[in-house]
Amino acid sequence: MELSTVDFAELLQLRADVDAEIRRRESEEKAKAAKQVLELIRTHGLDIEDIASKSAKLGSAPAASSRKPVEAKYRHPDDASLSWTGRGRKPLWVVAWIDSGRDLEALQIK
């Protein structure tokens, strides 16, 4: 079938038919996969709780608390509580510093 020769209305209908067929096949594939998973579970004597606990352990990322915090690269000279790692958006105090004509390098922690 040469698509360039097909009428516009027929193309729209074809697209609708293709979308419907994709949805139908996707549903069939999911059902087939679920059946295979259940067969594997039964074959190996597992239950859903076993699967859930094992997949949680396998798929879990390291806890964010295990990361080392990034050290500050910049600090306000008058207020030591104001610091910035140099990552992400500039804090308002850094933007104000730069807007006042001062150099960012003056804030660098040495």
Side-chain angles (χ1 to χ4, degrees), residues 84 89-102 104 107:
W84 179 46
R89 294 180 88 176
K90 291 180 181 81
L92 293 177
W93 65 268
V94 172
V95 172
W97 180 272
I98 294 170
D99 287 348
S100 69
R102 293 180 270 187
L104 180 62
L107 298 175

Side-chain angles (χ1 to χ4, degrees), residues 73-75 84 94 97-98 102-110:
K73 187 174 178 181
Y74 302 98
R75 180 165 287 122
W84 179 46
V94 172
W97 180 272
I98 294 170
R102 293 180 270 187
D103 193 23
L104 180 62
E105 291 178 8
L107 298 175
Q108 270 189 322
I109 300 172
K110 303 198 184 271

Side-chain angles (χ1 to χ4, degrees), residues 6 20 22-23 29 37 39-40 53 58 64 67 69 71 78-79 90 92-93 97 105 109-110:
V6 178
I22 288 172
R23 285 190 300 275
E29 290 296 317
V37 168
E39 287 174 9
L40 283 170
S53 67
L58 291 174
R67 292 184 187 171
E71 292 186 29
D78 301 327
D79 186 353
K90 291 180 181 81
L92 293 177
W93 65 268
W97 180 272
E105 291 178 8
I109 300 172
K110 303 198 184 271

Side-chain angles (χ1 to χ4, degrees), residues 13-88:
Q13 184 58 49
L14 181 61
R15 180 171 62 181
D17 293 345
V18 168
D19 288 342
E21 183 64 16
I22 288 172
R23 285 190 300 275
R24 186 187 70 74
R25 288 191 190 184
E26 181 180 37
S27 178
E28 284 179 359
E29 290 296 317
K30 285 181 179 181
K32 190 186 316 179
K35 183 179 177 183
Q36 290 173 340
V37 168
L38 288 174
E39 287 174 9
L40 283 170
I41 288 172
R42 286 187 200 110
T43 300
H44 296 284
L46 300 171
D47 59 27
I48 297 298
E49 289 78 25
D50 291 334
I51 303 299
S53 67
K54 286 181 174 70
S55 67
K57 289 176 187 172
L58 291 174
S60 63
S65 62
S66 66
R67 292 184 187 171
K68 181 180 175 187
V70 178
E71 292 186 29
K73 187 174 178 181
Y74 302 98
R75 180 165 287 122
H76 195 287
D78 301 327
D79 186 353
S81 68
L82 298 175
S83 62
W84 179 46
T85 63
R87 296 182 178 181

